[in-house]
Amino acid sequence: MVTTMLTRAIAGSELSPRRAGAVTERNLVAFRAGGTYWWLVISGFAEPLLYLFAIGWGVGALVGDMTLADGTTVSYLTFLAPALLAAAAMNGAIAESTMNFFAKMKFSKLYDSVLNTPVTPAEIAFGELGWAMLRGAMYTAAFLVVMVAMDITSPLRALAALPAALLVGFAFGGLGMALATLMRTWQDFDYVGILQFGLFLFSGTFVPVSSYPVALQVVVQVTPLYHGVELIRGIALNQLSWAGLAWHTGYLLLATILGLAIAARRMTRMLCK
C-alpha cells in the first residue's frame, strides 16, 4: 500500500524495485570496499550511547524519577533511552541522505553515470533511501540490544520498536534528500545541522513537551522528531494508545511520501535537463 501511495505521489515516474535495489546494492558494495566507512557507522552508534550513559545516569541522578501520562513512575534513564533511539534513527538517515547524497549528485556526478542505465531519478531516490535504512537499522538494532540488556524495555517491545525506529529513519531519509536537492554549497548544510540539533533538543527528548510554554508546544508538535519520540517511547514503555499509534505512524508516513516526492521531482529536473 505504501509503495502504491509513493508511486502516486511521484506521478509519472516509473518505479522498479529491482532497479532501486541495484542502487542500494551499489552503496553496499562501496561500503564494504571503504576501510574508513566502518568508523562512521561505529560513531553513529556510539554517539547516542554516550548520551545515554552521560545524561541518563549522570544528569538522571539529579533529575530523579519521571511521571508518565498514566501516572507510572520511571527512572530518567528509562524515559530518555527511547528518545535517544529516535534521535539515532534521525541522525543516521540524515547523515546518509544529505551530505553523502549531495556529494554523489553535485561533485562525484555519480547519478549522471547511473542515469545512462535504465534507472530513473525516482529509483535512485528509493535506492538511496533503502541504503540509508540499512545503515539506520544497524544503529537502532544495536541500541535496542543495549536497552534490553539494561532492562529499559522487554525483548518483545524492542522488536515492536524496531520498525517504528525504521519508520523514523524513512521519514528523515526522505526529507533529508529533499533538503539536499535544495542545497547550493557545503555551507548551506550549516542550516541542516542547526535544524537537526534544534529538533534533538526540543522534541521531548530530554523533558516532556508538556513542560514547555504552550506556544512552543504547538511548534514542537508539528515537527517529525516529536512524532518519532512519542511513537518509540510509547511502544517501549507501553504508553501508546491505538489512536496515538495511528496518528504518529500516519504523520511519519506522510513525511516520507512528501520528502521522496519532492526529491524525485527535483532530481528529475536537475539531472534530466
Side-chain angles (χ1 to χ4, degrees):
M1 184 181 71
V2 174
T3 304
T4 303
M5 293 167 66
L6 288 168
T7 305
R8 289 175 179 170
I10 310 171
S13 297
E14 182 186 355
L15 294 175
S16 163
R18 186 175 61 83
R19 290 197 293 264
V23 176
T24 303
E25 185 181 359
R26 178 261 162 213
N27 287 329
L28 183 60
V29 171
F31 165 74
R32 287 174 175 170
T36 59
Y37 218 107
W38 278 109
W39 290 108
L40 296 176
V41 173
I42 291 171
S43 66
F45 166 67
E47 183 180 324
L49 204 59
L50 291 175
Y51 274 116
L52 181 66
F53 291 147
I55 300 178
W57 274 337
V59 178
L62 303 174
V63 172
D65 291 338
M66 303 291 290
T67 302
L68 304 178
D70 66 347
T72 306
T73 301
V74 298
S75 68
Y76 187 66
L77 183 71
T78 302
F79 175 82
L80 179 66
L84 291 179
L85 176 62
M90 173 189 75
N91 291 335
I94 286 183
E96 192 63 44
S97 63
T98 56
M99 297 186 77
N100 289 350
F101 180 76
F102 181 78
K104 293 173 187 173
M105 183 169 60
K106 290 278 189 177
F107 292 96
S108 67
K109 302 293 183 184
L110 174 68
Y111 301 140
D112 291 352
S113 304
V114 173
L115 289 174
N116 286 319
T117 70
V119 176
T120 65
E123 289 160 353
I124 293 175
F126 271 82
E128 290 291 352
L129 186 61
W131 167 240
M133 287 307 92
L134 279 179
R135 183 172 163 176
M138 288 190 283
Y139 298 155
T140 54
F143 197 84
L144 281 168
V145 169
V146 173
M147 287 175 63
V148 172
M150 296 175 70
D151 201 25
I152 293 173
T153 189
S154 67
L156 280 179
R157 293 207 164 275
L159 283 175
L162 180 59
L166 294 180
L167 179 58
V168 175
F170 269 117
F172 278 99
L175 293 174
M177 276 193 289
L179 279 176
T181 62
L182 298 171
M183 299 293 111
R184 298 159 300 177
T185 65
W186 291 112
Q187 284 70 32
D188 287 345
F189 283 96
D190 290 345
Y191 299 113
V192 176
I194 292 170
L195 179 63
Q196 186 178 353
F197 194 58
L199 289 175
F200 178 58
L201 291 179
F202 295 106
S203 294
T205 314
F206 298 102
V207 296
V209 174
S210 57
S211 63
Y212 297 151
V214 174
L216 184 56
Q217 288 183 39
V218 173
V219 173
V220 168
Q221 288 170 358
V222 299
T223 60
L225 185 58
Y226 163 77
H227 292 274
V229 169
E230 289 296 307
L231 179 63
I232 296 176
R233 182 176 282 151
I235 293 173
L237 304 185
N238 194 23
Q239 293 287 311
L240 197 61
S241 65
W242 287 109
L245 178 67
W247 166 236
H248 297 307
T249 302
Y251 178 101
L252 292 170
L253 278 175
L254 185 62
T256 304
I257 293 168
L258 181 65
L260 275 178
I262 293 173
R265 286 179 182 275
R266 287 191 55 80
M267 286 179 66
T268 301
R269 194 178 305 164
M270 295 166 67
L271 299 175
C272 301
K273 294 177 181 177

